[in-house]
Amino acid sequence: MSISQIKNLQRRLANLEQEATEEINRACGHELWQSLGFDALDTLEDPDRRCRANYYYGQLQTVRELRDVIS
């Protein structure tokens, strides 16, 4: 991969990470999940919000793993 391709990939990953974080915040209604971790998502009572939060948490983890590989 060229340097420009890596930079573009890093930018896209940053955008995906931001989107995932914002969606999890919306689903939870707060940012406490960031300090409590994944278990905080399972305590959401609304199944739709819990499902959305878990989906975006999976996306967030994937982005972070990819970032670790290319760094």
Side-chain angles (χ1 to χ4, degrees):
M1 270 187 150
S2 71
I3 292 175
S4 63
Q5 289 173 318
I6 291 172
K7 294 283 185 187
N8 284 334
L9 179 57
Q10 288 173 333
R11 182 182 49 78
R12 285 187 226 132
L13 289 173
N15 289 340
L16 286 172
E17 182 177 25
Q18 180 181 359
E19 175 190 21
T21 301
E22 289 172 359
E23 289 298 324
I24 298 170
N25 288 342
R26 253 187 231 118
C28 292
H30 53 74
E31 296 179 4
L32 291 175
W33 66 270
Q34 293 180 26
S35 61
L36 298 174
F38 179 72
D39 294 332
L41 306 181
D42 289 335
T43 62
L44 294 172
E45 293 182 16
D46 182 2
D48 290 334
R49 289 175 52 194
R50 185 173 52 243
C51 181
R52 190 174 66 215
N54 281 315
Y55 170 80
Y56 281 104
Y57 189 80
Q59 178 177 315
L60 183 60
Q61 290 303 105
T62 301
V63 165
R64 289 177 177 170
E65 288 175 19
L66 287 170
R67 184 178 293 142
D68 288 344
V69 169
I70 64 169
S71 309

